[in-house]
C-alpha cells in the first residue's frame, strides 16, 4: 500500500495493473476528522487560495441542474483539480432544496468524489455537506481577518440568516480567535433566529446576543456582517445601511442590490466564477457593462496587490471554489487513513483486464 498522505491506496491485480481501492467516508467520520481544527483548516484554505492564484489548479465553471417543476431547487456539480502537495482531482455534487427545511431536513446535501492524480480512478466518496460548510466557513474566517487588518478589528458581528452555514462561520470565527462584544441575529423565520440564539448561548459566547426584527437594525449595528441566506435575488437595497463602513461577508451571493456594491469596495474569490448565475456582482456587471467596481480577489489582498480601504464598506463575495472542497476532502481522507479507519471496498473496480 502506498503512502496515504500522498496518493490513493492501491491493490495489486494478479496478472494486471495496480489500481486504486475505493473508500466510503461517512459524515460522522468527516466531522471527527475536522472538529476542533479551525486554525489548521483556515491555513489549508489560505494555502489553497494561493495555489489557485498561482495557477496550480484547474477550476472550470460549476454546472447547475435546475428543474422546471421545482424552481427553487438545484443540484450543482463543481469539478476541479489541485496541485501542490494535495495533488488530487475530483468533483463535489451538492444539492440545494430549500423546502427541506420545512420537514426538518437541512437544505443542502452533498457528496465529494476524489480521483487519483495519476490514473484518474476515483478512490473515495465522502459525505460532503460538512466539507462544504467547513470550507465555506474557513474561507469566511480567513476573509474576515485579511480584510480587516488595516482597520479597527470588528467587535460587533451580525448574522443575516441563521442556518447551518451561519453556525459553521461562527464556529470558525471563534476557533480562530475572534471574540465580540455584541452578536446580532436576524432571520425571516423567528424560529430559526431563536434556534441560532440558543446555539450561541450553548456555545458560551461572552458578548450580548440580540435578535433583530428589522434587517436594517442588524446591519447598522454590526462592524462585521455575515450574509448566509437562501435568497435568490437582492433584498437589501439601501446603501445608507452600510454608512459605518463594515466588513461584509456576502457568502450567499445574492442578497445585495447593485447599488450597495457600487458604494463599496468589492473583493471576490475568483472573478470569472463569481460574475455569473445572477449573483449580486454579476448583476452589477450587467448594469454597468464593466468590472470596474471590483477591487480584486482575496488572494490579491493576501499578496499585497490590493488593499481594502478603511473609509468604505468592504464586501467579500465568494462563489465557492471546488479546489477548496478537494483540499478539505483530501485532508479528511488522509486523517481517516492515518487513523486506520478507511472503509475500503476492495472489489469496487471489477473488470480490469482489457481483453477479459
Amino acid at each position: 500500500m502506498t503512502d496515504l498522505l500522498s496518493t490513493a491506496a492501491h491493490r495489486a491485480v494478479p496478472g494486471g495493473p495496480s489500481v486504486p481501492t475505493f473508500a466510503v467516508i461517512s459524515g460522522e467520520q468527516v466531522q471527527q476528522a475536522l472538529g476542533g481544527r479551525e486554525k489548521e483548516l483556515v491555513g489549508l484554505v489560505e494555502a489553497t487560495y494561493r495555489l489557485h492564484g498561482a495557477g496550480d489548479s484547474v477550476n472550470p465553471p460549476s454546472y447547475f441542474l435546475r428543474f422546471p417543476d421545482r424552481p427553487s431547487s438545484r443540484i450543482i456539480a463543481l469539478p476541479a483539480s489541485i496541485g501542490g502537495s494535495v495533488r488530487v482531482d475530483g468533483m463535489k455534487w451538492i444539492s440545494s432544496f430549500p423546502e427541506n427545511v420545512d420537514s426538518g431536513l437541512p437544505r443542502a446535501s452533498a457528496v465529494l468524489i476524489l480521483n487519483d492524480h495519476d490514473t484518474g480512478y476515483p478512490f473515495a466518496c465522502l459525505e460532503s455537506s460538512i466539507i462544504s460548510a467547513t470550507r465555506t466557513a474557513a474561507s469566511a474566517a480567513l476573509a474576515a481577518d485579511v480584510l480587516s487588518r488595516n482597520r479597527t478589528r470588528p467587535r460587533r458581528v451580525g448574522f443575516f440568516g441563521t442556518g447551518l452555514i451561519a453556525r459553521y462561520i461562527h464556529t470558525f470565527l471563534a476557533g480562530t480567535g475572534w471574540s465580540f462584544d455584541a452578536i446580532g441575529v436576524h432571520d425571516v423565520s423567528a424560529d430559526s433566529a431563536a434556534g441560532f440564539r440558543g446555539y450561541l448561548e450553548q456555545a458560551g459566547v461572552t458578548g450580548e446576543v440580540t435578535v433583530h426584527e428589522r434587517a436594517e437594525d442588524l446591519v447598522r449595528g454590526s462592524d462585521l456582517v455575515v450574509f448566509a441566506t437562501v435568497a435568490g435575488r437582492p433584498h437589501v437595497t439601501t446603501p445608507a445601511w452600510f454608512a459605518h463602513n463594515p466588513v461584509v461577508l456576502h457568502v450567499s451571493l445574492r442578497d445585495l442590490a447593485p447599488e450597495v456594491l457600487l458604494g463599496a469596495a468589492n473583493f471576490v474569490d475568483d472573478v470569472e466564477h463569481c460574475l455569473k448565475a445572477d449573483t449580486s456582482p454579476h448583476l452589477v456587471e450587467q448594469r454597468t457593462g464593466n468590472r470596474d467596481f471590483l477591487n480584486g480577489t482575496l488572494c490579491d489582498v493576501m499578496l499585497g496587490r490590493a488593499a481594502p480601504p478603511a473609509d468604505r464598506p468592504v464586501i467579500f463575495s465568494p462563489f465557492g471554489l471546488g479546489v477548496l472542497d478537494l483540499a478539505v476532502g483530501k485532508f479528511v481522507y488522509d486523517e481517516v487513513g492515518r487513523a486506520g479507519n478507511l472503509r475500503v471496498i476492495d472489489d469496487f473496480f471489477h473488470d480490469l483486464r482489457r481483453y477479459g
Side-chain angles (χ1 to χ4, degrees):
M1 180 178 290
T2 53
D3 184 358
L4 286 169
L5 302 185
S6 59
T7 187
H10 286 67
R11 64 183 173 90
V13 178
S18 175
V19 299
T21 56
F22 190 79
V24 176
I25 299 177
S26 71
E28 181 181 12
Q29 290 178 296
V30 171
Q31 198 158 48
Q32 289 175 349
L34 297 177
R37 307 180 80 161
E38 290 84 12
K39 289 184 179 179
E40 187 174 0
L41 290 164
V42 169
L44 174 63
V45 165
E46 178 177 358
T48 305
Y49 274 137
R50 291 179 183 272
L51 279 175
H52 180 65
D56 196 4
S57 66
V58 182
N59 207 110
S62 301
Y63 298 91
F64 288 73
L65 176 61
R66 299 187 183 275
F67 315 98
D69 61 328
R70 293 158 287 167
S72 66
S73 301
R74 64 182 187 268
I75 307 179
I76 310 173
L78 287 82
S81 174
I82 185 170
S85 62
V86 182
R87 204 166 174 265
V88 70
D89 313 324
M91 184 179 75
K92 179 173 71 172
W93 179 243
I94 182 166
S95 66
S96 174
F97 280 54
E99 282 72 23
N100 284 351
V101 176
D102 296 334
S103 60
L105 281 174
R107 170 187 60 85
S109 58
V111 293
L112 177 70
I113 299 295
L114 300 180
N115 292 75
D116 184 75
H117 177 276
D118 295 328
T119 67
Y121 269 71
F123 63 86
C125 176
L126 300 84
E127 195 286 330
S128 197
S129 65
I130 296 170
I131 290 172
S132 187
T134 294
R135 63 86 151 149
T136 299
S139 169
L142 174 65
D145 177 50
V146 170
L147 297 176
S148 62
R149 288 177 182 172
N150 67 336
R151 58 171 64 203
T152 301
R153 192 171 174 89
R155 300 294 303 173
R156 304 175 299 166
V157 64
F159 290 90
F160 199 130
T162 56
L164 180 141
I165 296 298
R167 172 163 62 86
Y168 268 75
I169 291 175
H170 174 265
T171 298
F172 268 78
L173 289 171
T176 51
W178 288 82
S179 62
F180 300 98
D181 299 327
I183 302 176
V185 176
H186 173 76
D187 198 289
V188 295
S189 165
D191 289 343
S192 294
F196 190 70
R197 179 173 189 166
Y199 152 74
L200 292 171
E201 292 170 347
Q202 289 179 353
V205 298
T206 56
E208 181 182 1
V209 179
T210 302
V211 175
H212 294 279
E213 292 186 6
R214 298 199 318 155
E216 179 180 357
D217 295 336
L218 175 92
V219 174
R220 288 186 181 273
S222 305
D223 308 312
L224 177 66
V225 186
V226 179
F227 283 92
T229 75
V230 294
R233 60 180 60 88
H235 54 95
V236 175
T237 61
T238 309
W241 291 7
F242 302 86
H244 57 300
N245 301 326
V247 173
V248 180
L249 305 178
H250 186 209
V251 175
S252 37
L253 279 177
R254 295 173 177 84
D255 300 274
L256 304 179
E259 49 265 33
V260 175
L261 272 67
L262 287 169
N266 293 279
F267 297 89
V268 297
D269 52 358
D270 183 282
V271 174
E272 296 301 328
H273 282 77
C274 196
L275 271 66
K276 64 177 54 177
D278 289 333
T279 64
S280 293
H282 188 206
L283 295 180
V284 176
E285 181 187 34
Q286 292 176 52
R287 174 180 293 189
T288 63
N290 60 62
R291 299 177 174 182
D292 296 344
F293 68 97
L294 291 178
N295 294 70
T297 66
L298 188 63
C299 189
D300 288 332
V301 180
M302 291 190 293
L303 295 176
R305 297 191 298 236
D311 60 351
R312 299 176 70 193
V314 172
I315 300 174
F316 177 56
S317 299
F319 192 81
L321 301 178
V323 290
L324 299 183
D325 296 282
L326 289 185
V328 175
K330 184 58 162 52
F331 177 91
V332 170
Y333 178 86
D334 290 343
E335 289 301 308
V336 175
R338 183 182 288 111
N341 294 326
L342 281 177
R343 298 169 181 170
V344 175
I345 304 172
D346 284 318
D347 58 351
F348 186 82
F349 301 106
H350 174 65
D351 194 352
L352 298 173
R353 291 184 175 88
R354 186 173 186 181
Y355 299 110

